[in-house]
Amino acid sequence: MTTDSPGLTLPEELLLLALDPQRGKPYCRTRFLEYGMAGAVLAELELQGRIAERLGRVRVISPLAPQDPLLAQVLGSLPAPDEGRLAGGVSAKPWIRRTGRYVEELCLDHLVARSVLRRETHRFLGLLPYHRHPVADPALSAGVRERFAAAETAGFPGPRGRVLAALVSAIGLSREVARGGPRSRWAMRDLVHDEWTAHAVHRNVRQDKSNRTGGNIGGTGGGSDGD
């Protein structure tokens, strides 16, 4: 959390960028958003000095629980520090794939409990229930978008802005939130390779796309928006 985003963590900012404020429906594919949420939690924990990444593996370096309950739950689920093991920690890509839905549900629950989002229950064909999460305070969602736009205009100078932009691109959201046109989206896509959390998210997104197309995906670029 920063003074630029008071009370909001990276996964919360990403979620508010991804949700249609009125309809409460994600602008991107739900599964991709789940991957992004898991990556954003890891990115937030890294920014707070709780974890570190090396060669694709995530290690806890400060097990003291953060104040934010979501971050505390996720940190507590990671293996405890063990300096005696050369291959300690967890591999980022499978962890994101395995944990994405759980992290998104936790984040939604926390934001509903804090009255940031509302939970509406609908039924598909009048039978199967599903949820939508409109924003309770449209000004909060608008503020997140304005801060993102300001960071985009400045070229994402800070580490928090860079990783958020990379995650936005990795899950296919940049067409919705970027205001600088194709050049800005390409710049965001380039950030995916620079941020290990976004790169791990993007690898899961590409795996899903490859599974659907039988292994034929156009392009070899960084972010999902460029595929």
Side-chain angles (χ1 to χ4, degrees), residues 8 13 15-17 19-24 27 111 114-118 120 133-147 179:
L8 294 176
E13 288 185 272
L15 187 60
L16 289 173
L17 286 172
L19 290 177
D20 182 312
Q22 284 77 42
R23 299 171 62 202
Y27 289 116
L111 290 180
R114 288 164 50 192
S115 299
V116 174
L117 300 176
R118 294 182 289 108
E120 296 178 350
H133 294 89
V135 174
D137 180 5
L140 180 62
S141 176
V144 171
R145 288 178 175 269
E146 289 301 323
R147 287 190 294 273
R179 299 184 182 180

Side-chain angles (χ1 to χ4, degrees), residues 64-154:
L64 183 65
Q67 290 185 347
D68 182 86
L70 169 61
L71 299 178
Q73 283 180 265
V74 172
L75 184 66
S77 72
L78 295 171
D82 186 353
E83 296 181 359
R85 294 179 57 195
L86 294 177
V90 294
S91 181
K93 178 180 177 289
W95 185 90
I96 284 171
R97 191 170 195 85
R98 185 173 63 249
T99 317
R101 182 170 299 176
Y102 167 73
V103 170
E104 186 197 34
E105 288 175 354
L106 278 180
C107 192
L108 286 169
D109 288 345
H110 285 305
L111 290 180
V112 169
R114 288 164 50 192
S115 299
V116 174
L117 300 176
R118 294 182 289 108
R119 176 164 289 155
E120 296 178 350
T121 301
H122 303 266
R123 290 188 178 274
F124 180 69
L125 299 177
L127 297 173
L128 301 176
Y130 64 93
H131 298 303
R132 290 284 183 257
H133 294 89
V135 174
D137 180 5
L140 180 62
S141 176
V144 171
R145 288 178 175 269
E146 289 301 323
R147 287 190 294 273
F148 187 87
E152 179 187 357
T153 299

